[in-house]
Amino acid sequence: MEPASLSATDLACRRGERLLFRGLSFALQPGDSLQVAGPNGTGKSSLLRILAGLLRPWAGTVERTGEVALLDERLALDGDLPLGRALDVWRRIDGTGYDAEASAALGLDTLLDVPVRFLSTGQRKRAAILVSNARGAGLWLLDEPLNGLDAQAGSAFQRQVADYVSRGGIAVIASHQPFDVPGMRRLELADYAP
Amino acid sequence: MSVVAALLRRDLGLMFGGAGRGATLLPVLFFIAVAMLYPFAVGPAPELLARTGGGVVWIAALLASILPLDRLLARDVERGVFDQLYLRGVADELAIAVRLIAHWLSFGPPLMLAAIPAAMLLGLDAAALRTVELGLLAGTPGLAAIGLIIAALTVGLRGGAALSGLLLIPLAVPLLIFGAGALSTGGNAGIALAAAISLVLVAITPFAGGAAIRAAREN
């Protein structure tokens, strides 16, 4: 994994007519993790999309080095294909990370011949986890990663993220649920509301 | 380059394989159906059909090109495919350029094949068929490019499918004038002009489409 870094300076985000947050600054180094917490509608997802470079901040700057990965509520797989063939598309693009071990760790190995549209919410989430960062980007942005996962899969994923951070990854987790990673900082987005 | 190959393989697989096959076949069947209906509507007089048949083939091709538009980009944008590609350093322009190639392959050559039975149904002679085929070869890349730009621009809109049909028709008029016009004027000048228009459209599509996809992210 190539080390990444992320720093945000004086970020502000406006959606439509509404200013969601302003004056947000932080810096993260390899091995850091940050939980972005806050009630619905405070701009957690928008912040993650800004950090990923998918959304322009209304004010402020984001400086990023290294690769970035984003897990959100969407699953970038073709619904008509069996899961295995749908994952092959990303395996060919990413090059690595889709071996049997990786899909078994997420409990996907028995689902490879099931068409993607028949997967349950939790199974879709696990496939989305694999697609989002199988390639091992140094910065992993996670938007509500526990949504849809059962208790067992949820704690397994928290261990996976903790392991990722201990290997020098940076994780930013937007969630209103508790997420357990040793040494994680916490950012209350409501504190930055105008 | 491997990313381009992987993307092209995926896009072609979506359009030709599995459940996507219907989406590719539908415009072709529609195209033949129009050619089949026309003699019923205007009567079977051979000289009338031979004189107007080439134009009907062109109108059928233009209308058939509207059919796949709503499925062209909307689902991939919904699923965040372009976002995931962008995070992997694949520019939106590149993704759109690959999609343009796949879209044309799924619709240009099948229409050119279907033009042969359509020409038989309309009683076109060999020379007219040759002009129609050359015209379609020159014009369909432009139709595919216009369609892709419109699909990208309407990607976030509800009811975008009906709108994209209305938007495509006026933009396709120049292609129709020169491509179908070659049938009445003879010679290859019209076809060459249609090819030139296609070339311009194909060249701007990755940039226009990429910008539209980026703008859709801000919504």
Side-chain angles (χ1 to χ4, degrees):
Chain A
M1 181 163 51
E2 199 185 320
S5 73
L6 173 70
S7 75
T9 315
D10 208 19
L11 281 186
C13 170
R14 200 172 86 154
R15 302 296 282 155
E17 291 297 300
R18 221 155 59 88
L19 194 61
L20 292 176
F21 56 79
R22 49 150 184 60
L24 180 61
S25 302
F26 60 83
L28 297 171
Q29 297 301 322
D32 287 350
S33 55
L34 176 73
Q35 176 163 17
V36 181
N40 298 135
T42 45
K44 298 192 293 291
S45 298
S46 298
L47 173 60
L48 255 55
R49 288 179 70 77
I50 288 172
L51 295 178
L54 292 169
L55 207 60
R56 270 199 308 266
W58 190 55
T61 53
V62 174
E63 277 172 46
R64 219 165 2 92
T65 60
E67 276 189 278
V68 55
L70 171 70
L71 168 71
D72 57 16
E73 81 284 6
R74 296 172 303 175
L75 174 61
L77 295 177
D78 309 314
D80 298 322
L81 292 180
L83 179 62
R85 281 181 53 204
L87 287 172
D88 277 348
V89 170
W90 290 109
R91 180 177 56 75
R92 280 192 285 269
I93 291 171
D94 289 345
T96 57
Y98 293 86
D99 46 20
E101 200 184 328
S103 50
L106 286 159
L108 296 170
D109 48 340
T110 55
L111 301 169
L112 293 178
D113 51 0
V114 178
V116 171
R117 66 173 189 279
F118 291 139
L119 296 180
S120 74
T121 311
Q123 289 165 342
R124 291 173 63 86
K125 192 62 153 194
R126 284 186 264 152
I129 289 169
L130 182 62
V131 170
S132 73
N133 202 10
R135 65 196 197 279
L139 169 62
W140 199 358
L141 307 170
L142 302 157
D143 190 0
E144 299 292 357
L146 297 179
N147 274 9
L149 293 181
D150 58 33
Q152 195 191 351
S155 53
F157 182 56
Q158 293 182 42
R159 283 196 301 278
Q160 187 186 340
V161 173
D163 175 58
Y164 168 81
V165 170
S166 71
R167 284 186 291 119
I170 302 175
V172 179
I173 298 138
S175 179
H176 55 268
Q177 301 175 50
F179 199 98
D180 185 29
V181 174
M184 183 160 65
R185 287 192 271 158
R186 196 177 161 87
L187 187 145
E188 289 291 344
L189 207 50
D191 297 347
Y192 298 89
Chain B
M1 267 299 109
S2 67
V3 172
V4 173
L7 269 181
L8 188 61
R9 190 169 159 182
R10 165 186 186 266
D11 289 352
L12 284 174
L14 276 190
M15 287 166 181
F16 283 108
R21 199 179 300 143
T24 304
L25 209 58
L26 202 63
V28 174
L29 292 177
F30 178 83
F31 176 81
I32 294 177
V34 172
M36 203 171 69
L37 281 177
Y38 183 70
F40 288 117
V42 301
E47 66 280 5
L48 177 67
L49 287 181
R51 189 155 49 81
T52 56
V56 172
V57 169
W58 262 93
I59 290 176
L62 201 156
L63 294 179
S65 75
I66 294 172
L67 289 179
L69 293 190
D70 60 325
R71 294 162 61 108
L72 205 50
L73 294 173
R75 285 188 306 181
D76 277 352
V77 169
E78 263 168 40
R79 289 174 183 153
V81 172
F82 288 101
D83 286 357
Q84 289 295 338
L85 287 172
Y86 177 83
L87 295 174
R88 284 157 170 82
V90 179
D92 296 319
E93 284 79 6
L94 181 63
I96 292 289
V98 171
R99 185 62 57 95
L100 176 60
I101 296 170
H103 176 44
W104 181 75
L105 284 174
S106 77
F107 132 95
L111 275 196
M112 289 173 64
L113 271 180
I116 296 169
M120 278 154 57
L121 287 165
L122 294 166
L124 297 185
D125 59 23
L129 176 61
R130 179 184 163 275
T131 310
V132 166
E133 290 286 11
L134 282 177
L136 286 179
L137 182 64
T140 47
L143 286 180
I146 296 171
L148 195 59
I149 292 177
I150 288 171
L153 284 172
T154 57
V155 85
L157 300 180
R158 301 226 170 275
L163 184 64
S164 47
L166 280 178
L167 285 170
L168 183 134
I169 288 169
L171 292 174
V173 165
L175 283 171
L176 190 66
I177 290 175
F178 293 116
L183 284 161
S184 52
T185 58
N188 289 334
I191 290 169
L193 276 169
I197 295 169
S198 276
L199 210 58
V200 171
L201 288 168
V202 167
I204 63 171
T205 295
F207 304 102
I213 293 288
R214 258 196 306 285
R217 284 204 182 100
E218 302 276 331
N219 292 324

